[in-house]
Amino acid sequence: MASALMALGLTVLQSGSPAVAQTFSGDPTPDQALRTVSQFQGEWDSPPTALTNGGTVDAPLLGNGDLGVAVGGSVDDQTFYLGKNDFFSTATNGIEPLGRIVLSVPGLADADYHVVQNIANAQIEGTYTLGSQTLASRSWVSATENLFVTTLRLSGSQTQDATVTLQDGLGNTPSTSVKDGVLDADVQAGTASAPGNPQARIATKVQGTAAKPSGNRISLTLKPGVTYTVTAAIRSSHDTPRYRSAAHSAATELTGGSLAKLRAAHESWWRKYWSRSFVQIPDQAVEKSWYGSLYLLGSVSRGGKYAPGLWGNWITGTMNWYGDYHANYNYEAAFYPALSTNHVAQMDSYDDPILDWMPRGKAKAAAAGYKGVLYPVGISPNGTSAADDLYNQKSNAVNLASDMVMKYEYTRSASYARKVLPYLEQVGLFWQDYLTWDEATGTYNIHNDAPQEGGVYPQTNSVLSLGLVHLLFQGLIDMSNDLGINGSLIPTWQHIDSSLAPLPTMTRNGQTVFRQTSEGSGWVSDGNDVAIQAVYPGLQVGLNSSPDLLQTARNTITQLNNWHSDNSPATLYAAAAMGGYDPDTLMKELHTEATAYSYPNMAVHHYGGGVENLNVTTSGLNEMLLQSFQHDIKVFPNWPADSDAKFGGLLAYGNFLVSSSIRHNSVEYVRITSRSGGNLTVTNPWPGRSVEYYANGVHKGTLSGTTIKVNTSVGETITLAPAGTSLAAIQHESAQSAKGSTAGSPATGSGAALTQPARTNTVDAKSGGDDRGTDMYPGLSDSLAAERTGMLGAARRSSSAAPRR
């Protein structure tokens, strides 16, 4: 019977293994991932210049999801800018810089400058050469502690005097004290004291010498061949009320042995991080940007810590738009890349500021005469706000809900659903109350909701809000059904989802495109991509949608032509891939993002925001390689012809890890690990052909049809391949690097490919080649092998200044 159904092109549900946790060994993803990421680094031959303009910096970057460090200046005045995600001033509710550590070796002024940002092991390596002398440095922020480390080693025949100076976040002299050889500096967020204003201590000492702390400075003499290690323990009042003693003790108790353990833990954290997924594609600049974005994601966000604001934890001065959590795409977009890349843990801080704002959200809705919650454009931690204004938008709370719905659909985590359902239900309650029913058309309509900040009423049926409200109620239905709750509410939610007004359209240049509203804003050419956001992040259009709807989405992308505008790239590329836009054009424009719009630190930068741009290459590329949001896994659904590629460990809806490879325009295999069990649906990558089906390495027969459906158990690995393909052949292919990928040739600088050098212990042979091997860290393991910058003239945007949308 099953064979007869499949012969007719119908899907068949195959029975899986017993519902017990099991894992099929032999996953090549970790080895492939570590081998690939080791090729990528940022490189500078002159000091960075975009450092204190209130936006994305072009400096070498370090971070552990809480503490961030940006490195500016040359070695005679090298400044390590310290930022921390929790350093929001209670006077302004804006994020403030925490402090600065200035390393000065004046005798090496005018030294040649060469700095490498090694993303595989999250460290920055510097080489500064003047005549016959070279100073080599290695800096890292511990992945597991708020500890910053810089190690120095001088070559040549002369000594050099050096100083390490502590400053507050604005470069001023803080209050300091000296005890146990440790220089302690106490700083606060901003210049104005206010109740609850965060404070912090920077506790610094130098190992390897009898350093001389005095005032806010440590003086030392660097001798050739001797290793010196500068350590700074940072604790804030949000970390602990005992932040002063905690920081001092951490610095005092640090020894060579404990530093070695921290280094080992640091390397282990990053190895595990990189082992989760990989991509290998011919365009090396885009591939590098994908890894670079993930490096920055791992550096900027961590569970149990404060969530990053607009500019992450690289806070070098007064930041634009307060560096807050902007709710109309900016805050949300920074976390989207954690999903499909299989780095979901980096989202763990996302929900906290949103849930903390619920009492104020309820009060704001009630004040407007509605149930549920209303959120402003800008919120800050702990229920505060730096920009407490709606700007005529009702969509902020439902926009914030998009990450929550997506995270659940990707992970199917019941515990996560229980955590966020109270918020999602309140957002749903608002829309149940706010929507108006049109009996004549049989539709729910949205009135007086501007798609962009400050849009003048009337504004009816914002295309952005329609997409997000659909997504909200679809998520509420799925979570409630899975948990077996809200039975009385589900019919209402289903009715709203099925009866919302259609996405508004219009004709422009002879093409049908999405219109921003059905009444109000029509087509707006201002660098935003609001018109396409019902596709992404609204997820209401995909390759399973009708041909007409897909063509409208593609037409809209064409007419927008916003590939590199200030506010579009964070969501535009994923939307284009989901709509089936020409993949050659997508790769060309992604290449431009990865080169012309990326700094050497691999940060994609646009004026509208900072860490939101972590989503440009990641989700844009992932949706070309793998789509699943319509509950149907498609591999290489929108991929350029004649372009060999491979990916591993990407996450699909339903908590499935997917790996696949394409060579000579033919998919070689699909490997899927079910982490939660349940039904698996895959579009057959070999249309019209039968498929070999393996479960945990055991041949289960052949399948056929347009789609394949299989019941899976927790931990089960399903492998599919064209008929006649042996498991041994699949395993061999999956262990190989993609033809033409960067797995054997590193890319540095702006993304150009370089020949793989022999593994050495030097920073850079051309800069003097001073040995920087394990002798720099006695007892430590060797490391993992390896614009448009104009910003607002005003220091801050006032609450009445024009926002970005």
Side-chain angles (χ1 to χ4, degrees):
M1 181 64 176
S3 300
L5 289 172
M6 287 187 287
L8 293 172
L10 302 177
T11 62
V12 177
L13 193 65
Q14 297 289 329
S15 59
S17 303
V20 295
Q22 51 187 314
T23 301
F24 174 52
S25 61
D27 184 3
T29 294
D31 287 344
Q32 289 271 18
L34 292 170
R35 184 164 63 245
T36 307
V37 71
S38 67
Q39 313 305 313
F40 297 113
Q41 58 189 31
E43 189 171 2
W44 291 256
D45 285 319
S46 59
T49 57
L51 285 165
T52 56
N53 54 15
T56 304
V57 298
D58 63 346
L61 300 176
L62 297 166
N64 65 2
D66 182 25
L67 175 66
V69 176
V71 185
S74 194
V75 72
D76 58 316
D77 188 29
Q78 187 160 71
T79 301
F80 300 97
Y81 295 87
L82 309 180
K84 205 165 180 293
N85 283 341
D86 63 12
F87 229 51
F88 276 80
S89 166
T90 55
T92 64
N93 295 321
I95 198 165
E96 300 286 352
L98 187 145
R100 301 178 185 179
I101 300 174
V102 182
L103 170 65
S104 177
V105 187
L108 295 181
D110 300 321
D112 289 341
Y113 177 101
H114 186 75
V115 171
V116 170
Q117 177 180 280
N118 188 327
I119 68 172
N121 52 18
Q123 67 182 26
I124 293 170
E125 303 153 352
T127 307
Y128 314 95
T129 301
L130 184 65
S132 62
Q133 284 206 295
T134 295
L135 180 66
S137 68
R138 181 182 291 172
S139 303
W140 49 285
V141 169
S142 168
T144 57
E145 300 284 343
N146 276 343
L147 178 73
F148 170 63
V149 180
T150 293
T151 301
L152 307 171
R153 188 177 179 89
L154 183 68
S155 69
S157 59
Q158 298 179 342
T159 62
Q160 292 287 344
D161 292 332
T163 58
V164 177
T165 303
L166 303 188
Q167 301 175 347
D168 70 10
L170 299 177
N172 302 315
T173 301
S175 173
T176 61
S177 58
V178 176
K179 183 181 178 182
D180 306 318
V182 175
L183 175 60
D184 294 321
D186 293 320
V187 296
Q188 72 168 357
T191 57
S193 298
N197 204 34
Q199 315 284 313
R201 169 164 285 188
I202 309 167
T204 305
K205 75 173 182 179
V206 179
Q207 295 181 334
T209 183
K212 304 169 185 176
S214 178
N216 68 326
R217 178 173 298 177
I218 300 174
S219 300
L220 64 153
T221 299
L222 303 178
K223 298 178 181 180
V226 179
T227 297
Y228 302 87
T229 303
V230 181
T231 60
I234 295 97
R235 301 291 187 274
S236 76
S237 53
H238 286 305
D239 292 328
T240 171
R242 299 176 53 256
Y243 67 95
R244 291 187 178 92
S245 61
H248 182 86
S249 295
T252 303
E253 296 168 2
L254 196 62
T255 64
S258 60
L259 186 60
K261 291 180 181 179
L262 284 172
R263 176 70 182 184
H266 171 81
E267 292 183 345
S268 176
W269 191 94
W270 280 100
R271 275 195 298 270
K272 291 177 181 177
Y273 180 80
W274 290 123
S275 295
R276 301 186 70 83
S277 61
F278 73 90
V279 299
Q280 295 172 355
I281 63 173
D283 192 311
Q284 299 180 9
V286 175
E287 184 179 319
K288 176 184 177 182
S289 181
W290 190 89
Y291 283 97
S293 296
L294 286 186
Y295 168 70
L296 299 177
L297 176 66
S299 300
V300 81
S301 179
R302 200 69 53 86
K305 303 297 182 180
Y306 277 57
L310 286 172
W311 312 104
N313 48 14
W314 300 293
I315 308 302
T316 58
T318 299
M319 307 307 291
N320 295 332
W321 299 293
Y322 303 99
D324 67 0
Y325 306 142
H326 251 56
N328 51 5
Y329 97 82
N330 310 89
Y331 181 62
E332 296 88 342
F335 291 88
Y336 292 144
L339 293 166
S340 57
T341 62
N342 190 27
H343 290 286
V344 180
Q346 307 314 119
M347 293 188 72
D348 286 351
S349 64
Y350 173 82
D351 307 312
D352 295 340
I354 302 170
L355 301 183
D356 288 345
W357 228 88
M358 282 183 65
R360 290 188 64 175
K362 290 179 180 178
K364 187 174 283 290
Y370 298 101
K371 301 175 183 176
V373 291
L374 264 176
Y375 276 50
V377 165
I379 66 173
S380 305
N382 303 315
T384 64
S385 178
D388 189 15
D389 197 309
L390 295 177
Y391 291 102
N392 291 346
Q393 292 182 312
K394 309 301 189 302
S395 58
N396 294 309
V398 72
N399 215 327
L400 291 166
S402 62
D403 293 72
M404 299 177 183
V405 173
M406 288 188 203
K407 181 175 178 178
Y408 177 73
E409 297 291 358
Y410 272 102
T411 65
R412 308 302 283 195
S413 168
S415 61
Y416 182 71
R418 294 186 187 99
K419 175 186 177 182
V420 298
L421 263 174
Y423 172 77
L424 298 177
E425 288 166 352
Q426 287 297 314
V427 181
L429 184 60
F430 169 80
W431 287 102
Q432 287 172 240
D433 197 23
Y434 191 76
L435 293 168
T436 59
W437 176 251
D438 186 332
E439 191 69 40
T441 60
T443 60
Y444 287 101
N445 295 293
I446 303 173
H447 293 282
N448 294 333
D449 169 37
Q452 299 196 68
E453 292 177 5
V456 179
Y457 297 151
Q459 299 278 350
T460 303
N461 290 329
S462 159
V463 68
L464 165 66
S465 294
L466 287 170
L468 292 171
V469 172
H470 271 299
L471 182 66
L472 168 70
F473 285 111
Q474 290 160 3
L476 280 169
I477 293 166
D478 284 349
M479 291 183 198
S480 298
N481 278 329
D482 289 351
L483 294 178
I485 62 174
N486 291 329
S488 63
L489 296 174
I490 289 175
T492 298
W493 296 339
Q494 290 173 329
H495 188 252
I496 292 173
D497 181 45
S498 63
S499 304
L500 275 175
L503 301 179
T505 61
M506 60 182 290
T507 300
R508 186 174 193 270
N509 296 327
Q511 293 184 324
T512 300
V513 297
F514 291 123
R515 177 186 166 103
Q516 287 199 2
T517 66
S518 60
E519 180 187 12
S521 299
W523 188 265
V524 181
S525 299
D526 65 348
N528 283 281
D529 65 336
V530 172
I532 200 64
Q533 288 188 349
V535 178
Y536 184 86
L539 306 184
Q540 299 309 301
V541 181
L543 296 178
N544 289 350
S545 300
S546 70
D548 287 346
L549 194 58
L550 283 167
Q551 189 59 55
T552 298
R554 291 192 288 267
N555 293 344
T556 305
I557 296 284
T558 298
Q559 295 292 322
L560 283 170
N561 194 27
N562 278 350
W563 300 111
H564 313 297
S565 65
D566 287 337
N567 286 294
S568 287
T571 52
L572 182 69
Y573 287 91
M578 289 174 169
Y581 201 83
D582 175 50
D584 290 309
T585 299
L586 272 174
M587 288 302 300
K588 177 177 74 74
E589 302 298 353
L590 279 173
H591 182 91
T592 301
E593 285 290 305
T595 53
Y597 294 92
S598 291
Y599 286 135
N601 57 27
M602 291 169 262
V604 177
H605 60 91
H606 293 280
Y607 177 63
V611 292
E612 69 188 52
N613 292 307
L614 301 181
N615 199 47
V616 175
T617 309
T618 48
S619 290
L621 181 58
N622 287 0
E623 295 299 330
M624 298 177 71
L625 296 168
L626 171 70
Q627 290 186 23
S628 64
F629 70 98
Q630 291 179 311
H631 301 279
D632 172 15
I633 292 175
K634 294 178 170 66
V635 297
F636 301 101
N638 197 43
W639 193 246
D642 304 317
S643 181
D644 295 346
K646 183 188 292 281
F647 66 86
L650 296 186
L651 186 61
Y653 266 38
N655 209 13
F656 296 104
L657 292 181
V658 184
S659 303
S660 190
S661 175
I662 190 168
R663 187 184 296 269
H664 304 313
N665 299 314
S666 178
V667 174
E668 294 183 297
Y669 62 87
V670 182
R671 176 190 170 106
I672 302 171
T673 298
S674 176
R675 299 204 295 190
S676 297
N679 294 337
L680 168 67
T681 300
V682 183
T683 292
N684 188 347
W686 306 280
R689 299 176 64 184
S690 59
V691 178
E692 297 292 352
Y693 166 37
Y694 299 89
N696 286 340
V698 177
H699 189 242
K700 296 291 186 177
T702 59
L703 307 173
S704 63
T706 305
T707 56
I708 306 297
K709 291 188 177 181
V710 178
N711 280 333
T712 67
S713 57
V714 176
E716 186 176 24
T717 295
I718 304 299
T719 307
L720 306 175
T725 308
S726 69
L727 184 64
I730 297 169
Q731 291 173 328
H732 174 77
E733 290 300 329
S734 65
Q736 307 303 308
S737 297
K739 182 180 179 181
S741 78
T742 62
S745 53
T748 58
S750 64
L754 301 177
T755 302
Q756 170 68 53
R759 170 70 175 145
T760 68
N761 283 330
T762 60
V763 173
D764 183 64
K766 71 180 181 182
S767 300
D770 184 47
D771 182 74
R772 300 183 310 101
T774 55
D775 60 339
M776 287 197 70
Y777 296 90
L780 300 190
S781 63
D782 195 14
S783 61
L784 194 92
E787 140 178 276
R788 296 172 302 170
T789 60
M791 305 303 270
L792 291 179
R796 292 200 186 281
R797 168 173 65 77
S798 70
S799 60
S800 60
R804 285 162 293 163
R805 271 242 190 259

